[in-house]
Amino acid sequence: MLLLENVAQSYGPKAVLKDIQFTLKPGQIGCLLGPSGCGKTTALRLVAGFEQLSAGAIYIDGQTVARPGFSLPPEQRRVGLVFQDYALFPHLSVAANVDFGLSHLPRRDRDYRVHEMLELVGLEAEAKAWPHQLSGGQQQRVALARALAPRPRLLLLDEPFSNLDVELREKLSLEVRDILKHEAITALLVTHDQHEAFAVADVVGVMNQGLIQQWDTPYRLYHEPANRFVADFVGQGVLLTGEVLNEHQVEIELGVLEGHLPTQCNAEKIEPECLNCERGCRVEVLIRPDDIIHDDSSLLMAEIERKAFRGAEFLYTLRLPSGARVLALVPSHHNHAIGERIGITLGVDHVVAFTA
């Protein structure tokens, strides 16, 4: 449904996007995730038709909508938009806002579609209300209903939950995903919040400095990051120094891990003597908070340096005997004091290692 092929964008000498490529299948929800200034919103604006690209091409449902020297006008792309600030018309009622893009339909069909959309987002009772009378979450639902009403081929969402509080943001992101899946809508979301990305999207592209670092499922982004940037940006964790024992094992301070060793040993050629991840090669191993298990019977001890209460669990910062630090998620009924030493064991299912 959506294909970006070698898309690049520059503003004068400054390259904002470099060789962006990804696809979305019909009914699939994608997300561009990254820090401010990484180029994700520019990519969304190119898909919408608000800017003309410098290189590459964009296709929607097999139709070329953008290439150098040609840009199909936004209104002809059949693309729906949900903005960060909702962009509702304050002088129109909720129903009239949803009806705004349906002027090509007979009055009876328009009324039916408005009712259908308001029912879908759970706002039938607010049809005659004004936007300022609604909560932020309700306004976002109206914006979504308005974008979906004309049956777009593709829906674009630009930081749609950033103006909401954390609890409502999480709840609404799940609701939006359910609505999009119910309507079989292909969608592209832009956000800097990985929790939103993981809650809504089927596939996520992590961006940095105008490049997609990895385009993958949320699960693989977390457990099998392609590089250090993805490993650092997605989730929490630390890198511990390790030493390769053989092609399937690496030893760190906490013990021996088994799994796939870094492709960088072959690709980056940082250490000529370690091209095949032979014994003695130095690597850095990613350890996530959920890789460290609190175990009172363990002989391996770590000192609690910091603790953050999260309701069901504590996030402990632990100091190892070497002075290295790791994070650990521990059920909150294990309420230990700062400075206390606790037993820990490893529970690593995925070895993620990079050349040192």
Side-chain angles (χ1 to χ4, degrees), residues 280-294:
C281 291
R282 292 179 297 108
V283 291
E284 292 178 340
V285 181
L286 176 67
I287 301 296
R288 300 286 197 191
D290 44 316
D291 292 330
I292 305 294
I293 301 171
H294 183 326

Side-chain angles (χ1 to χ4, degrees), residues 178-218:
D178 289 342
I179 290 169
L180 295 178
K181 289 299 181 182
H182 179 272
E183 292 288 291
I185 292 289
T186 309
L188 181 63
L189 164 75
V190 158
T191 183
H192 64 276
D193 188 319
Q194 62 180 282
H195 300 294
E196 282 179 24
F198 286 7
V200 178
D202 302 310
V203 63
V204 177
V206 178
M207 292 189 65
N208 186 42
Q209 296 182 341
L211 293 167
I212 292 182
Q213 304 291 318
Q214 186 173 353
W215 179 263
D216 223 324
T217 63

Side-chain angles (χ1 to χ4, degrees), residues 3-12 14-21 42-43 46-47 51-59 64-71 210:
L3 167 62
L4 271 70
E5 194 173 72
N6 307 111
V7 169
Q9 178 71 329
S10 300
Y11 302 128
K14 183 180 180 182
V16 179
L17 294 178
K18 311 164 191 174
D19 197 30
I20 298 295
Q21 299 190 67
T42 298
L46 289 172
V47 175
E51 297 185 21
Q52 295 196 16
L53 49 71
S54 303
I58 300 174
Y59 307 89
T64 304
V65 297
R67 63 175 186 270
F70 169 76
S71 180

Side-chain angles (χ1 to χ4, degrees), residues 16-253:
V16 179
L17 294 178
K18 311 164 191 174
D19 197 30
I20 298 295
Q21 299 190 67
F22 65 85
T23 61
L24 283 180
K25 299 174 184 176
Q28 195 173 36
I29 304 173
C31 175
L32 295 177
L33 170 68
S36 296
C38 70
K40 57 188 185 295
T41 297
T42 298
L44 197 78
R45 290 176 60 82
L46 289 172
V47 175
F50 297 154
E51 297 185 21
Q52 295 196 16
L53 49 71
S54 303
I58 300 174
Y59 307 89
I60 298 177
D61 198 16
Q63 178 186 14
T64 304
V65 297
R67 63 175 186 270
F70 169 76
S71 180
L72 190 70
E75 65 274 13
Q76 295 180 26
R77 297 192 181 196
R78 287 185 57 202
V79 169
L81 286 160
V82 178
F83 297 98
Q84 181 176 348
D85 59 358
Y86 320 137
L88 298 179
F89 301 113
H91 62 290
L92 298 180
S93 68
V94 166
N97 264 278
V98 178
D99 179 64
F100 184 79
L102 303 176
S103 58
H104 60 289
L105 297 177
R107 181 75 263 171
R108 186 174 178 179
D109 293 343
R110 292 169 66 174
D111 291 343
Y112 177 79
R113 184 61 175 166
V114 169
H115 173 76
E116 186 180 36
M117 287 294 96
L118 290 179
E119 186 177 39
L120 180 67
V121 299
L123 290 174
E124 313 98 298
E126 282 74 27
K128 296 182 179 180
W130 302 101
H132 73 270
Q133 296 174 316
L134 305 179
S135 68
Q138 288 175 321
Q139 290 184 46
Q140 188 59 283
R141 287 189 184 91
V142 175
L144 180 62
R146 182 181 63 184
L148 293 177
R151 303 184 192 277
R153 298 185 293 186
L154 175 69
L155 182 68
L156 305 177
L157 303 102
D158 185 11
E159 300 270 9
F161 312 115
S162 60
N163 290 337
L164 306 175
D165 61 69
V166 174
E167 187 175 342
L168 181 57
R169 188 184 308 170
E170 187 171 333
K171 178 176 181 290
L172 191 57
S173 63
L174 294 173
E175 290 179 2
V176 167
R177 176 178 170 83
D178 289 342
I179 290 169
L180 295 178
K181 289 299 181 182
H182 179 272
E183 292 288 291
I185 292 289
T186 309
L188 181 63
L189 164 75
V190 158
T191 183
H192 64 276
D193 188 319
Q194 62 180 282
H195 300 294
E196 282 179 24
F198 286 7
V200 178
D202 302 310
V203 63
V204 177
V206 178
M207 292 189 65
N208 186 42
Q209 296 182 341
L211 293 167
I212 292 182
Q213 304 291 318
Q214 186 173 353
W215 179 263
D216 223 324
T217 63
Y219 182 88
R220 285 176 58 88
L221 288 174
Y222 184 84
H223 289 292
E224 300 175 36
N227 54 42
R228 279 183 177 83
F229 178 82
V230 178
D232 183 58
F233 191 79
V234 174
Q236 293 177 295
V238 297
L239 290 169
L240 293 183
T241 300
E243 183 176 311
V244 173
L245 300 181
N246 55 55
E247 61 182 0
H248 296 297
Q249 290 184 315
V250 59
E251 184 175 20
I252 61 174
E253 180 179 355

Side-chain angles (χ1 to χ4, degrees), residues 288-290 292-293 314-318 326-330 344:
R288 300 286 197 191
D290 44 316
I292 305 294
I293 301 171
F314 281 104
L315 177 66
Y316 286 122
T317 300
L318 303 175
V326 293
L327 302 173
L329 283 174
V330 177
I344 57 173

